[in-house]
Amino acid sequence: MPTFVRWIGLALIGTSLSSCGLIKTQLGLGPKPPQLAPPVVNDQPRSAPLQARENVIVKAVDRVGPAVVRIDVVKKINNPLGGIFGIGPSTQQQQGQGSGFITRSNGLIFTNEHVVRGADQVAVTLPDGRSFKGKVLGGDPLTDVAVVKVVAENLPVASLGNSDDLKPGEWAIAIGNPFGLNNTVTAGIISAVDRTNAVGEGQRVPYIQTDAAVNPGNSGGPLINAAGQVIGINTAIRTAPGGGLSFAVPINLAKRIAQQIVSTGEASHPFIGVQLRSLTPQLAREINATGRSCKVPELNGVLVVEVVPNTPAAEADIRQCDLILYVDGESVQNPTEVQLAVDRGEVGQPMQLKLRRDGDEISVEVLPKELPRRN
């Protein structure tokens, strides 16, 4: 049975997302290491757009559908009553189900991390009935992307599109296995892009929002466009009486995370060590009225409210009450945009920040460290 997790008005499709915390790595200050080409995680060239006179949904599904798989997982969980009172076995099996799609003909599969988290057994079933034993190469709880591998050759492959070019109003087609109903297709439009507050604050994912019907079991399945290209991984739903919204991880982000997983077995996320808050003129007046040692301008911006000791931000002399204006030349308007800009950087590689401090604009160089993880 699919596993459900609900937060206040939020349902994650499949098994629940885990939290991710902080571990520190040593930061080298020597010359930059040589940049290696990322591993190939997709070997299907982008397909040509379909002609308008054709039924684009049918054609798009024909292109991607054969590469969409069902993922069945089995987890062993402890039964505390079994060991103490002898009620049942000491361990029990928990089953879950989700979706995924093949990105390389030799059996590389993208799915959600929460679908395969903690799995002891993974089975992958293709629409043509073939079934394979799957191995989880790794998963990233922060973005909910995971990579599964099966031993096979000449499998059907889904073509990956470009999620950076998406516009609200475009076709959005979901394929997956909701409620165990294999190869289910639903369609709608892209309702919005860059939804950074879709599943809670502090997210590092600019989700794609769609009104295509997505249900438990669709987790990890593809969201595709009218050209038959995967533009996202269906991840979460947000429900309310009378309706609901669906969210997908953009495929460009998923591809970058998958490349890291294939290379090292895990994803890398830089961090600099600041706590931020959106500044408004009203908040600025309240801060200035408290008589603190620093004064902030009465405008909209990104305010540094705390600098964590012994972090890259502290080492770069970023201070409380600084306003962050730019990250690597990119203008930022709110804390989430700073978060996403930092996440696009690399651990140990210099990052340029432009700040406003005491009415002056200054530039600082920060060397991000690896975001610590909590097991």
PDB file of all heavy atoms in Angstrom, residues 46 67 201 209 254 262 298 319 337 347 356 369:
ATOM      1  N   ARG A  46      17.078  15.148 -27.397  1.00  0.00           N
ATOM      2  CA  ARG A  46      15.794  15.822 -27.298  1.00  0.00           C
ATOM      3  C   ARG A  46      15.007  15.634 -28.581  1.00  0.00           C
ATOM      4  O   ARG A  46      15.533  15.769 -29.679  1.00  0.00           O
ATOM      5  CB  ARG A  46      15.991  17.312 -27.014  1.00  0.00           C
ATOM      6  CG  ARG A  46      16.465  17.580 -25.599  1.00  0.00           C
ATOM      7  CD  ARG A  46      16.606  19.053 -25.332  1.00  0.00           C
ATOM      8  NE  ARG A  46      17.091  19.287 -23.966  1.00  0.00           N
ATOM      9  CZ  ARG A  46      17.459  20.447 -23.492  1.00  0.00           C
ATOM     10  NH1 ARG A  46      17.420  21.519 -24.276  1.00  0.00           N
ATOM     11  NH2 ARG A  46      17.885  20.576 -22.251  1.00  0.00           N
ATOM     12  N   ALA A  67       8.811   4.397 -21.038  1.00  0.00           N
ATOM     13  CA  ALA A  67       9.943   4.520 -20.115  1.00  0.00           C
ATOM     14  C   ALA A  67       9.511   4.795 -18.677  1.00  0.00           C
ATOM     15  O   ALA A  67      10.358   4.906 -17.793  1.00  0.00           O
ATOM     16  CB  ALA A  67      10.872   5.643 -20.586  1.00  0.00           C
ATOM     17  N   GLU A 201       8.756  26.394   4.392  1.00  0.00           N
ATOM     18  CA  GLU A 201       9.770  27.427   4.239  1.00  0.00           C
ATOM     19  C   GLU A 201      11.170  26.824   4.136  1.00  0.00           C
ATOM     20  O   GLU A 201      11.404  25.680   4.539  1.00  0.00           O
ATOM     21  CB  GLU A 201       9.713  28.387   5.428  1.00  0.00           C
ATOM     22  CG  GLU A 201       8.387  29.149   5.538  1.00  0.00           C
ATOM     23  CD  GLU A 201       8.128  30.047   4.356  1.00  0.00           C
ATOM     24  OE1 GLU A 201       9.104  30.557   3.776  1.00  0.00           O
ATOM     25  OE2 GLU A 201       6.952  30.243   4.001  1.00  0.00           O
ATOM     26  N   GLN A 209       4.452  24.225 -10.370  1.00  0.00           N
ATOM     27  CA  GLN A 209       3.080  23.980  -9.909  1.00  0.00           C
ATOM     28  C   GLN A 209       2.206  23.678 -11.109  1.00  0.00           C
ATOM     29  O   GLN A 209       2.300  24.336 -12.149  1.00  0.00           O
ATOM     30  CB  GLN A 209       2.546  25.202  -9.167  1.00  0.00           C
ATOM     31  CG  GLN A 209       1.117  25.055  -8.679  1.00  0.00           C
ATOM     32  CD  GLN A 209       0.597  26.333  -8.052  1.00  0.00           C
ATOM     33  OE1 GLN A 209       1.339  27.067  -7.407  1.00  0.00           O
ATOM     34  NE2 GLN A 209      -0.685  26.611  -8.234  1.00  0.00           N
ATOM     35  N   ALA A 254      16.879  18.251 -11.023  1.00  0.00           N
ATOM     36  CA  ALA A 254      16.964  16.812 -10.784  1.00  0.00           C
ATOM     37  C   ALA A 254      18.151  16.191 -11.517  1.00  0.00           C
ATOM     38  O   ALA A 254      18.843  15.317 -10.981  1.00  0.00           O
ATOM     39  CB  ALA A 254      15.666  16.138 -11.228  1.00  0.00           C
ATOM     40  N   VAL A 262      25.315   9.871  -9.065  1.00  0.00           N
ATOM     41  CA  VAL A 262      26.009   8.844  -9.860  1.00  0.00           C
ATOM     42  C   VAL A 262      27.516   8.942  -9.654  1.00  0.00           C
ATOM     43  O   VAL A 262      28.223   7.924  -9.612  1.00  0.00           O
ATOM     44  CB  VAL A 262      25.635   8.992 -11.352  1.00  0.00           C
ATOM     45  CG1 VAL A 262      26.496   8.072 -12.209  1.00  0.00           C
ATOM     46  CG2 VAL A 262      24.160   8.676 -11.567  1.00  0.00           C
ATOM     47  N   GLU A 298      14.933  51.904   5.506  1.00  0.00           N
ATOM     48  CA  GLU A 298      13.508  51.581   5.438  1.00  0.00           C
ATOM     49  C   GLU A 298      13.127  51.251   3.996  1.00  0.00           C
ATOM     50  O   GLU A 298      12.605  52.086   3.249  1.00  0.00           O
ATOM     51  CB  GLU A 298      12.683  52.749   5.981  1.00  0.00           C
ATOM     52  CG  GLU A 298      12.929  53.010   7.461  1.00  0.00           C
ATOM     53  CD  GLU A 298      12.080  54.142   8.006  1.00  0.00           C
ATOM     54  OE1 GLU A 298      11.185  54.633   7.266  1.00  0.00           O
ATOM     55  OE2 GLU A 298      12.295  54.540   9.163  1.00  0.00           O
ATOM     56  N   ARG A 319      28.049  40.582   8.501  1.00  0.00           N
ATOM     57  CA  ARG A 319      27.625  40.994   9.838  1.00  0.00           C
ATOM     58  C   ARG A 319      26.105  41.079   9.949  1.00  0.00           C
ATOM     59  O   ARG A 319      25.404  41.241   8.947  1.00  0.00           O
ATOM     60  CB  ARG A 319      28.231  42.362  10.175  1.00  0.00           C
ATOM     61  CG  ARG A 319      29.735  42.418  10.110  1.00  0.00           C
ATOM     62  CD  ARG A 319      30.244  43.833  10.340  1.00  0.00           C
ATOM     63  NE  ARG A 319      31.685  43.940  10.092  1.00  0.00           N
ATOM     64  CZ  ARG A 319      32.357  45.090  10.151  1.00  0.00           C
ATOM     65  NH1 ARG A 319      31.722  46.221  10.471  1.00  0.00           N
ATOM     66  NH2 ARG A 319      33.660  45.118   9.902  1.00  0.00           N
ATOM     67  N   GLU A 337      15.559  33.449  -2.562  1.00  0.00           N
ATOM     68  CA  GLU A 337      16.419  33.682  -3.732  1.00  0.00           C
ATOM     69  C   GLU A 337      17.892  33.606  -3.350  1.00  0.00           C
ATOM     70  O   GLU A 337      18.716  33.131  -4.142  1.00  0.00           O
ATOM     71  CB  GLU A 337      16.090  35.035  -4.364  1.00  0.00           C
ATOM     72  CG  GLU A 337      14.724  35.073  -5.044  1.00  0.00           C
ATOM     73  CD  GLU A 337      14.460  36.382  -5.763  1.00  0.00           C
ATOM     74  OE1 GLU A 337      15.328  37.283  -5.691  1.00  0.00           O
ATOM     75  OE2 GLU A 337      13.398  36.497  -6.408  1.00  0.00           O
ATOM     76  N   VAL A 347      30.877  23.915  -3.487  1.00  0.00           N
ATOM     77  CA  VAL A 347      31.609  23.881  -2.226  1.00  0.00           C
ATOM     78  C   VAL A 347      33.074  24.228  -2.480  1.00  0.00           C
ATOM     79  O   VAL A 347      33.719  23.658  -3.361  1.00  0.00           O
ATOM     80  CB  VAL A 347      31.484  22.495  -1.566  1.00  0.00           C
ATOM     81  CG1 VAL A 347      32.374  22.405  -0.324  1.00  0.00           C
ATOM     82  CG2 VAL A 347      30.042  22.203  -1.203  1.00  0.00           C
ATOM     83  N   ARG A 356      24.923  45.832   1.517  1.00  0.00           N
ATOM     84  CA  ARG A 356      24.763  47.227   1.923  1.00  0.00           C
ATOM     85  C   ARG A 356      24.948  47.283   3.433  1.00  0.00           C
ATOM     86  O   ARG A 356      24.244  46.592   4.172  1.00  0.00           O
ATOM     87  CB  ARG A 356      23.394  47.771   1.533  1.00  0.00           C
ATOM     88  CG  ARG A 356      23.154  49.211   2.034  1.00  0.00           C
ATOM     89  CD  ARG A 356      21.876  49.774   1.472  1.00  0.00           C
ATOM     90  NE  ARG A 356      21.992  50.002   0.032  1.00  0.00           N
ATOM     91  CZ  ARG A 356      20.959  50.178  -0.781  1.00  0.00           C
ATOM     92  NH1 ARG A 356      19.733  50.136  -0.295  1.00  0.00           N
ATOM     93  NH2 ARG A 356      21.142  50.384  -2.063  1.00  0.00           N
ATOM     94  N   LYS A 369      30.938  26.084   2.352  1.00  0.00           N
ATOM     95  CA  LYS A 369      31.277  24.752   2.817  1.00  0.00           C
ATOM     96  C   LYS A 369      30.120  23.800   2.506  1.00  0.00           C
ATOM     97  O   LYS A 369      29.042  24.208   2.098  1.00  0.00           O
ATOM     98  CB  LYS A 369      31.565  24.774   4.325  1.00  0.00           C
ATOM     99  CG  LYS A 369      32.788  25.572   4.711  1.00  0.00           C
ATOM    100  CD  LYS A 369      33.030  25.509   6.223  1.00  0.00           C
ATOM    101  CE  LYS A 369      34.277  26.324   6.606  1.00  0.00           C
ATOM    102  NZ  LYS A 369      34.517  26.302   8.065  1.00  0.00           N
TER     103      LYS A 369
END
